[in-house]
Amino acid sequence: MFITLKPHKPHYENVPFEIPSSWEWTTINTISKSILYGVSESAKTNGKYRLLRITDIQNNSVQWDSVPYTDFDENKAKSYLLSDGDILFARTGATVGKSYLVQGLTEEAIYASYLIRVQTYDAVLPQYVKFYFESGYYWEQIEQGSVGVGQPNVNGTILGNLHVPIPPIHEQFRIVSELSKWMGIIDIIEMGKTDLQTIIKQVKSKILDLAIQGKLVAQDPSDEPASELLKRINPKAEFACDNGHYTQLPDGWTIAPMQILCSLIDGDKQNGIERVNLDVKYLRGERDAKTLTSGKYVATKSLLILVDGENSGEVFRTPIEGYQGSTFKQLFINENMNSRYVLQVINLHRRILRENKVGSAIPHLNKKLFKAIEVPIPPYKEQQRIVETINKVFMSLDLIMESL
């Protein structure tokens, strides 16, 4: 079935933007022979039909082998069976507005209730509409039309009323062909970008690893040995020069547990003074934190280490004074150590700290493991040289990351 489009009027009112004279402004309703909600069915291990859900659609693709099944009424299923060229639209949740073009189906499948299916008339290529569903103008309309606070959604009526510019069918073919070519090139670039980002992360980790083995910068025999530095921190403590993890460290280096070098504490209790409640959201830039009149005081530029949540072990320096949130401990590094060197050692161990976090509903930093981290300690002046070298190399790597 073909649709008939009205002749184009280049200057009618409320036109979103000018289009060529052979094109036509219309709506999703006008170009669609069907806009239909999915079915409310339970997913099963076995069944007659695959049941495609929002969560099965990731990055414009579906791993059909992992899509569950359902046993839906055969008489009703015909209305919901998916075909190549169908466009599925997420109508609620975090992915509201995302779409998926069905292609290459190998078995019968229906779709779940949080999806809306759009089937276009023959005069409109579904591939063209799918590209439209990726455009900035489309997303502007979705943002304006979405309703709900806790759970934004876009219903079938809103979807159907979206404005869409439609070119002649032959031009649709040309547009789809050209966009497909460029999108393929962009995908290759994105893959290369992702690979390069992974390599840069690995390089940073390797640099830190070399640093704590004494292989990053040259040694200076005139530097005061680290053993003398540690005597000032704890005169009674005994320290090793090598162990099972760090063998053959350079002369002048030693090893000590993290608990000798730094401590995790709470701030001093204060009452009657209104201060910002410092929490992870505030420190990451979301300036909607509430104020309190009592709590554990934290001074400006204090080091705080995240002890709750998936990012346990991450360290922040607070930009303002305030009361310490429950998700943090203050991190105090002994003044005899270069604090930036210690922070790099913590950063190197973050993966281990995350993998060994404790807690059920909310993971917590494993403080016992943190305190037991064995820190290779170079002379103080070498700590400075290591940090300066790391900063210089990381700055270059970060410039590459920013340019991607």
Side-chain angles (χ1 to χ4, degrees), residues 162-175:
L162 295 182
H163 294 96
V164 54
I166 298 295
I169 185 68
H170 293 298
E171 188 161 354
Q172 291 178 41
F173 275 108
R174 292 194 296 271
I175 289 171

Side-chain angles (χ1 to χ4, degrees), residues 195-233:
D195 291 343
L196 184 54
Q197 288 173 333
T198 301
I199 291 171
I200 289 174
K201 289 179 181 178
Q202 292 172 343
V203 169
K204 283 187 172 183
S205 179
K206 184 61 177 178
I207 288 170
L208 293 177
D209 196 44
L210 292 173
I212 65 173
Q213 295 181 50
K215 298 177 181 179
L216 185 64
V217 299
Q219 312 299 308
D220 187 343
S222 66
D223 287 341
E224 178 191 60
S227 57
E228 296 300 316
L229 178 154
L230 290 178
K231 286 177 183 177
R232 292 194 291 273
I233 296 176

Side-chain angles (χ1 to χ4, degrees), residues 94-111:
T95 59
V96 63
K98 292 289 182 69
S99 59
Y100 170 66
L101 177 63
V102 179
Q103 298 180 97
L105 276 176
T106 57
E107 55 185 310
E108 291 186 318
I110 60 177
Y111 57 103

Side-chain angles (χ1 to χ4, degrees), residues 33 49 65 80 100 119-120 126 167 178 194 215 225 301 328 338 343 357 359-360 374-375:
K33 57 187 175 184
Y49 308 104
D65 290 343
Y80 301 97
Y100 170 66
Q119 292 179 321
T120 63
E178 191 70 12
T194 301
K215 298 177 181 179
K301 297 183 179 179
F328 294 99
N338 184 299
L343 291 176
K357 58 184 179 288
S360 52
E374 295 174 329
V375 183

Side-chain angles (χ1 to χ4, degrees), residues 176-400:
V176 168
S177 176
E178 191 70 12
L179 283 176
S180 297
K181 179 182 72 176
W182 284 106
M183 290 301 177
I185 294 172
I186 290 170
D187 287 343
I188 292 172
I189 293 173
E190 286 291 333
M191 288 175 60
K193 173 183 173 181
T194 301
D195 291 343
L196 184 54
Q197 288 173 333
T198 301
I199 291 171
I200 289 174
K201 289 179 181 178
Q202 292 172 343
V203 169
K204 283 187 172 183
S205 179
K206 184 61 177 178
I207 288 170
L208 293 177
D209 196 44
L210 292 173
I212 65 173
Q213 295 181 50
K215 298 177 181 179
L216 185 64
V217 299
Q219 312 299 308
D220 187 343
S222 66
D223 287 341
E224 178 191 60
S227 57
E228 296 300 316
L229 178 154
L230 290 178
K231 286 177 183 177
R232 292 194 291 273
I233 296 176
N234 188 340
K236 298 180 180 180
E238 294 182 0
F239 307 104
C241 293
D242 286 311
N243 64 11
H245 297 291
Y246 304 103
T247 58
Q248 298 180 341
L249 287 174
D251 292 339
W253 285 50
T254 189
I255 295 172
M258 187 68 76
Q259 64 180 349
I260 297 293
L261 310 178
C262 60
S263 56
L264 304 178
I265 67 169
D266 292 321
D268 294 328
K269 181 75 174 177
Q270 285 190 352
N271 292 307
I273 303 175
E274 187 176 274
R275 299 188 190 278
V276 172
N277 178 40
L278 299 177
D279 59 20
V280 66
K281 290 183 179 179
Y282 183 88
L283 293 173
R284 285 176 175 164
E286 299 178 25
R287 301 302 176 106
D288 58 352
K290 61 183 178 180
T291 57
L292 302 175
T293 56
S294 66
K296 301 293 182 64
Y297 173 70
V298 178
T300 305
K301 297 183 179 179
S302 296
L303 287 173
L304 300 179
I305 186 167
L306 188 59
V307 296
D308 287 351
E310 292 298 323
N311 291 316
S312 300
E314 189 172 353
V315 178
F316 296 90
R317 192 177 293 277
T318 175
I320 62 169
E321 64 179 4
Y323 291 129
Q324 178 178 336
S326 61
T327 57
F328 294 99
K329 291 287 185 183
Q330 288 194 56
L331 174 65
F332 280 93
I333 299 173
N334 190 280
E335 61 184 7
N336 289 285
M337 291 292 296
N338 184 299
S339 61
R340 293 180 297 171
Y341 176 81
V342 176
L343 291 176
Q344 293 292 3
V345 176
I346 293 173
N347 188 45
L348 188 60
H349 287 80
R350 285 222 18 230
R351 181 178 61 84
I352 297 173
L353 293 172
R354 283 198 305 272
E355 292 176 353
N356 290 277
K357 58 184 179 288
V358 295
S360 52
I362 301 177
H364 298 278
L365 175 71
N366 189 326
K367 298 182 187 66
K368 183 178 179 181
L369 180 63
F370 176 84
K371 293 176 181 178
I373 291 174
E374 295 174 329
V375 183
I377 303 172
Y380 187 83
K381 289 185 178 180
E382 186 165 350
Q383 293 178 37
Q384 291 178 313
R385 294 195 296 272
I386 288 172
V387 167
E388 289 170 0
T389 301
I390 289 173
N391 288 343
K392 187 181 299 183
V393 177
F394 278 21
M395 188 178 298
S396 298
L397 293 174
D398 289 340
L399 285 174
I400 296 173

